[in-house]
Amino acid sequence: MPATTPTREFVLGLPKSELHLHLEGTLEPELKLALATRNGVDIGQSTVEEVRKTYVFDSLASFLGVYYPAMNVLVEEQDFYDLASAYFLRAATDGVRRVEAFFDPQAHTSRGVPIENVILGCSRAATDAADFGISADLILCFLRDFTAESALATLQEALPYKDLFIGVGLDSDERDNPPAKFAEVFALARSEGLMLTMHCDIDQVGSIENIRQVLEEIKVDRIDHGTNIVENPELVELVRERGIGLTCCPVSNSFVTSDMKATEIVELLGRGVKVTVNSDDPAYFGGYIADNYLALIEKSGLGIDDVVTLAKNSFEASWLADDEKALHLAEIDHYVESYSDAAASATAAESV
Ligand code: ADE
Ligand code: ZN
């Protein structure tokens, strides 16, 4: 395989898995306006342009300050269904075959929305994503700036629906909210057979200590972001050895910090870490998954081989069964072969 730069067409068609995607982060202005009208919620804007103008931030905290109030338009089970379905339909156009999507129940229950509206709406959409050629599962995230007691109460409220999500995660504002604060609730989730992941956001105070905690104390199966691990060779070796995936989000990184961390992502890839590329909150950061691959390619000059490794990593780091992973990996090999054959035929045709 030549180390040529992948085209947009190649990236769009490449089968891939999305492992770091907040369903609430897919709320496009058009849907936000439609839901505001449907539910009689005054959001203070009446056009797409006005809503887009509010999507302005330069740090994790300022992003979250826009993100949570926007969720007021999500009330009924159908709202969550419509939100998630719109995302799955959009993801399919980017070659996505598998999604393990986050949702934040506390962002809704804290405003009086019943947890079943959230879980049942998202879960019905995840099932129906099969119509778009996507297998989808859900990850229930706790808000780390809420108390550990609130996380525990949320898990207990969600456990009757345990068959409708495959794991738990931790998101929101990392400052002063280290992983160890949630050790008990994550231990309970593990004992209930759930998979574990946690955000270790970019360039946080205590990033390395938090990454150490998620690996050594919480014993997560995956890390969301986690790119600062590059600063600590021993931790890099630990994730490499354990095959723990890092769900990186280049476009989001460039909004909440000063750059997309392409150098760090590529360095980790080169060191054999299961780095993956994802979109985080695409409606807010303006990039779905293919845009994230393309931004990274443009910034770092990655060739086809590395991009194929990233796509393969996205299935290997997923929580699919081994036989399902193998099918997706074979589909990637087939795609790359057909693409090379088509390129070779085009070159041959040009030379006659
Ligand atoms: N919630 C939604 N997106 C997030 C992110 N990138 N970090 C932390 N919490 C989030
Ligand atoms: Zn995230």
Side-chain angles (χ1 to χ4, degrees):
M1 175 66 49
T4 47
T5 302
T7 60
R8 180 174 185 82
E9 184 200 7
F10 177 84
V11 170
L12 281 171
L14 182 65
K16 55 184 83 64
S17 173
E18 169 104 272
L19 304 178
H20 187 149
L21 181 280
H22 300 264
L23 286 173
E24 293 90 344
T26 69
L27 183 60
E28 292 287 352
E30 292 81 355
L31 183 60
K32 186 178 180 191
L33 287 166
L35 293 177
T37 304
R38 189 154 97 189
N39 292 321
V41 177
D42 181 6
I43 55 169
Q45 305 96 37
S46 53
T47 67
V48 167
E49 292 67 38
E50 282 171 9
V51 176
R52 263 194 220 293
K53 274 195 198 141
T54 67
Y55 287 12
V56 176
F57 21 75
D58 59 3
S59 65
L60 180 58
S62 60
F63 160 66
L64 295 171
V66 174
Y67 182 65
Y68 292 120
M71 294 181 200
N72 287 341
V73 299
L74 296 162
V75 182
E76 306 295 339
E77 185 205 313
Q78 188 64 36
D79 303 337
F80 291 93
Y81 178 87
D82 291 345
L83 173 75
S85 279
Y87 162 70
F88 292 128
L89 182 61
R90 174 65 183 80
T93 67
D94 274 13
V96 172
R97 302 284 195 277
R98 166 76 182 161
V99 179
E100 297 176 5
F102 302 131
F103 67 105
D104 284 340
Q106 289 157 295
H108 313 296
T109 54
S110 62
R111 328 179 258 115
V113 174
I115 198 166
E116 51 270 21
N117 288 10
V118 188
I119 298 183
L120 296 179
C122 293
S123 164
R124 189 158 57 86
T127 304
D128 290 353
D131 295 345
F132 314 135
I134 290 179
S135 89
D137 279 300
L138 301 175
I139 300 172
L140 181 157
C141 280
F142 305 109
L143 300 186
R144 67 198 309 160
D145 43 357
F146 283 29
T147 62
E149 292 73 28
S150 171
L152 203 51
T154 301
L155 180 59
Q156 271 148 358
E157 220 186 328
L159 281 177
Y161 305 98
K162 196 177 76 174
D163 292 348
L164 303 183
F165 55 98
I166 57 170
V168 296
L170 185 69
D171 60 11
S172 205
D173 198 348
E174 189 165 330
R175 181 192 283 249
D176 298 329
N177 296 300
K181 172 178 166 187
F182 298 93
E184 188 187 347
V185 68
F186 274 70
L188 174 62
R190 175 69 90 203
S191 73
E192 291 286 344
L194 293 161
M195 301 295 280
L196 310 182
T197 187
M198 282 185 167
H199 275 57
C200 290
D201 264 291
I202 307 294
D203 293 348
Q204 296 293 300
V205 175
S207 269
I208 290 296
E209 169 56 17
N210 288 355
I211 292 170
R212 189 199 63 73
Q213 286 180 15
V214 300
L215 290 168
E216 293 177 358
E217 296 180 30
I218 310 293
K219 298 196 166 37
V220 291
D221 302 293
R222 207 155 65 206
I223 302 178
D224 300 311
H225 298 295
T227 317
N228 287 78
I229 199 170
V230 76
E231 297 157 22
N232 186 308
E234 280 169 26
L235 292 177
V236 170
E237 188 49 23
L238 193 64
V239 288
R240 197 194 59 75
E241 253 175 40
R242 288 194 200 163
I244 290 182
L246 300 191
T247 64
C248 303
C249 309
V251 173
S252 143
N253 292 348
S254 62
F255 274 87
V256 298
T257 72
S258 56
D259 77 314
M260 70 170 76
K261 305 290 177 190
T263 308
E264 291 80 352
I265 294 170
V266 172
E267 180 170 344
L268 289 166
L269 185 67
R271 291 208 215 161
V273 175
K274 286 217 184 310
V275 175
T276 66
V277 170
N278 307 273
S279 63
D280 208 0
D281 301 284
Y284 290 87
F285 302 130
Y288 283 81
I289 193 166
D291 299 316
N292 277 271
Y293 275 77
L294 289 163
L296 188 63
I297 291 165
E298 194 185 342
K299 183 80 184 178
S300 63
L302 280 183
I304 285 188
D305 287 359
D306 284 329
V307 172
V308 169
T309 302
L310 287 169
K312 288 191 169 181
N313 283 352
S314 76
F315 291 105
E316 284 166 357
S318 78
W319 295 337
L320 285 169
D322 286 347
D323 57 341
E324 290 171 290
K325 288 184 186 179
L327 289 175
H328 288 293
L329 296 174
E331 193 199 0
I332 292 181
D333 285 336
H334 180 71
Y335 174 77
V336 174
E337 269 165 37
S338 335
Y339 205 88
S340 315
D341 290 348
S345 316
T347 311
E350 271 166 26
S351 61
V352 277

